[in-house]
């Protein structure tokens, strides 16, 4: 598993399996799996989108969901993005991103929505004090 921090300029990708953090400028991270800005800024006119279509509705953990699928090309690879939207609240509930070859599968589950949360700028940056045994690899 891993974690990603993103402050708009720098991306920190933490791998618990490798016990390392890679640091890079956001502009150098062209893959949607390593750059939250690329993933969250997708739009229908984006030339990385190969196909977009509604899927059959389903039930996840007892909750009825709408499902939308987007096929993407990013950094020479193809990805499938499934967005699950809670039918009752009409809010995103789950996002699943898979590489075409099956090497990468990322699941993001929305636990709660909080309007106007109190956050600090430091919440968006990796803090090495919280990960003392991690190797930091800086590509900037």
């Amino acid at each position: 598993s891993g974690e990603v921090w993103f402050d708009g300029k720098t991306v920190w990708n933490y791998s618990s399996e490798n016990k390392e953090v890679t640091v890079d400028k956001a502009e150098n991270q062209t893959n949607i799996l390593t750059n939250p800005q690329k993933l969250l800024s997708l739009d229908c006119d984006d030339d990385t989108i190969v196909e977009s279509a509604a899927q059959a509705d389903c039930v996840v953990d007892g909750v009825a969901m709408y499902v939308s699928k987007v096929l993407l090309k990013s950094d020479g690879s193809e990805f499938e993005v499934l967005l699950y939207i809670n039918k009752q609240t009409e809010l995103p509930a789950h996002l699943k991103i898979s590489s075409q070859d099956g090497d990468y599968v990322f699941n993001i589950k929305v636990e709660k929505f909080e309007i106007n949360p109190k956050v600090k700028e430091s919440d968006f940056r990796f803090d090495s004090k919280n990960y003392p045994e991690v190797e930091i690899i800086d590509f900037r």
Side-chain angles (χ1 to χ4, degrees):
S1 70
E3 295 177 63
V4 178
W5 292 263
F6 177 65
D7 68 0
K9 296 177 184 172
T10 304
V11 178
W12 293 263
N13 282 288
Y14 166 65
S15 168
S16 59
E17 182 179 304
N18 299 331
K19 294 193 186 307
E20 67 183 25
V21 171
T22 57
V23 185
D24 206 347
K25 294 178 183 177
E27 63 202 36
N28 295 340
Q29 296 293 309
T30 58
N31 190 305
I32 64 166
L33 298 177
T34 57
N35 186 337
Q37 185 174 13
K38 280 202 70 81
L39 175 62
L40 298 173
S41 66
L42 292 173
D43 62 46
C44 294
D45 296 328
D46 194 325
D47 61 0
T48 62
I49 295 178
V50 176
E51 175 187 324
S52 177
Q55 300 296 291
D57 296 352
C58 69
V59 175
V60 177
D61 296 330
V63 178
M65 301 279 182
Y66 298 111
V67 183
S68 180
K69 177 172 89 172
V70 177
L71 295 176
L72 306 168
K73 283 190 177 185
S74 176
D75 199 27
S77 300
E78 289 192 12
F79 300 92
E80 176 183 85
V81 178
L82 294 174
L83 175 62
Y84 296 82
I85 298 173
N86 182 314
K87 284 187 174 185
Q88 184 177 10
T89 64
E90 296 187 350
L91 293 171
H94 185 89
L95 183 69
K96 179 179 179 183
I97 306 167
S98 328
S99 62
Q100 183 182 28
D101 56 16
D103 285 348
Y104 300 102
V105 177
F106 289 89
N107 286 292
I108 300 170
K109 183 177 181 183
V110 178
E111 301 266 328
K112 71 176 185 174
F113 279 93
E114 188 175 334
I115 298 171
N116 297 321
K118 296 195 186 304
V119 295
K120 306 176 296 289
E121 283 191 38
S122 61
D123 293 338
F124 300 95
R125 294 188 192 103
F126 173 75
D127 186 347
S128 60
K129 289 181 278 185
N130 296 329
Y131 298 82
E133 297 180 18
V134 170
E135 177 183 4
I136 297 174
I137 303 168
D138 197 330
F139 292 111
R140 293 175 291 176

